[in-house]
Amino acid sequence: AAEAPRQLSRVLEKQEEEVRNKERALEVIMPQLQVLVKSSGEKPSVRYFDGEEGIRAIRQEIVMHSKPGSTVLNIINADSMDAYFPKIFDSYYRQRVAKHVHAKTIFSTVSGESKKRFLSEEFSKFSERIFIPPEHFPNAGVITVFEDRVAMSSFEGQSGGVIVEGQTIASMMRDVFTLAWERAKQIGEANTKG
């Protein structure tokens, strides 16, 4: 009867040794597994949003998926956005600020009123903005980089937009935005008190 507890001890020791052997084998092949994962690459997803409701859904997703304390990056033609959605900016701004999400925005407009509003203290919380003359961004749309996603919306013709979800693409667009931001500081007018 005393032999049975010793056998349990030996069985447990044998299992422990098997686990250590498997751990060593895993350590040997881990670098190869990591190379395989990296070489398989990320496969971004693309979703299309149609019309006015689609554009609203994109703006909602930006707010929903942005983490508190994060920063969204925007390039906006304020005239086309204001014409398409007269109040969307105000609503989006309030939701973003309530969530403590920062924004860096490059915007263009031909309207002195829009320029004044975008650069005003009223919209300065958690925000840095640079105005660029409209000839530098005449496109009727918005580009937003947030988390691991890039949203692009068009307000002309068949309005709508896309969200591309993929870390690599979002990183590339962050780099492009950084270049655009540096150039915008040279040619624009800023309110970066946020």
Side-chain angles (χ1 to χ4, degrees):
E3 189 65 32
R6 282 189 216 138
Q7 278 183 319
L8 288 175
S9 231
R10 282 188 218 120
V11 168
L12 184 57
E13 286 173 10
K14 186 174 181 171
Q15 288 177 344
E16 287 174 342
E17 182 61 31
E18 287 174 7
V19 168
R20 284 191 292 273
N21 287 338
K22 288 179 182 178
E23 285 175 340
R24 284 191 288 273
L26 180 61
E27 286 175 16
V28 169
I29 65 168
M30 185 60 78
Q32 295 165 341
L33 292 173
Q34 289 173 330
V35 166
L36 283 174
V37 168
K38 283 184 181 178
S39 68
S40 68
E42 173 188 11
K43 292 177 178 58
S45 66
V46 179
R47 291 176 287 139
Y48 181 74
F49 297 80
D50 194 26
E52 182 177 327
E53 286 308 307
I55 292 172
R56 286 183 194 280
I58 289 171
R59 301 318 292 173
Q60 261 324 108
E61 184 164 328
I62 293 167
V63 172
M64 280 180 22
H65 289 283
S66 295
K67 296 176 185 144
S70 66
T71 301
V72 297
L73 310 173
N74 303 291
I75 302 176
I76 298 172
N77 178 303
D79 298 323
S80 61
M81 190 173 74
D82 283 346
Y84 200 81
F85 288 120
K87 296 295 179 191
I88 194 171
F89 175 78
D90 298 352
S91 170
Y92 167 75
Y93 172 80
R94 283 191 302 275
Q95 291 172 354
R96 181 181 59 75
V97 168
K99 200 169 175 183
H100 296 257
V101 173
H102 300 265
K104 288 179 84 170
T105 302
I106 300 168
F107 75 97
S108 68
T109 180
V110 295
S111 164
E113 186 178 313
S114 284
K115 178 182 171 186
K116 185 177 175 182
R117 184 171 59 102
F118 265 78
L119 292 174
S120 74
E121 289 300 314
E122 176 185 0
F123 292 110
S124 66
K125 193 167 189 176
F126 297 116
S127 301
E128 293 180 67
R129 292 164 318 276
I130 296 177
F131 164 78
I132 57 172
E135 61 270 15
H136 293 284
F137 190 72
N139 305 296
V142 177
I143 301 168
T144 301
V145 183
F146 63 108
E147 301 303 330
D148 63 345
R149 298 165 189 182
V150 178
M152 293 176 273
S153 302
S154 172
F155 302 120
E156 281 186 338
Q158 182 85 18
S159 64
V162 295
I163 293 179
V164 180
E165 189 173 345
Q167 190 59 52
T168 302
I169 290 175
S171 275
M172 286 190 305
M173 287 305 295
R174 273 187 183 73
D175 293 343
V176 168
F177 181 88
T178 299
L179 292 170
W181 184 263
E182 291 306 311
R183 177 66 177 131
K185 286 193 301 190
Q186 296 170 4
I187 62 170
E189 184 177 327
N191 179 336
T192 58
K193 297 176 185 173

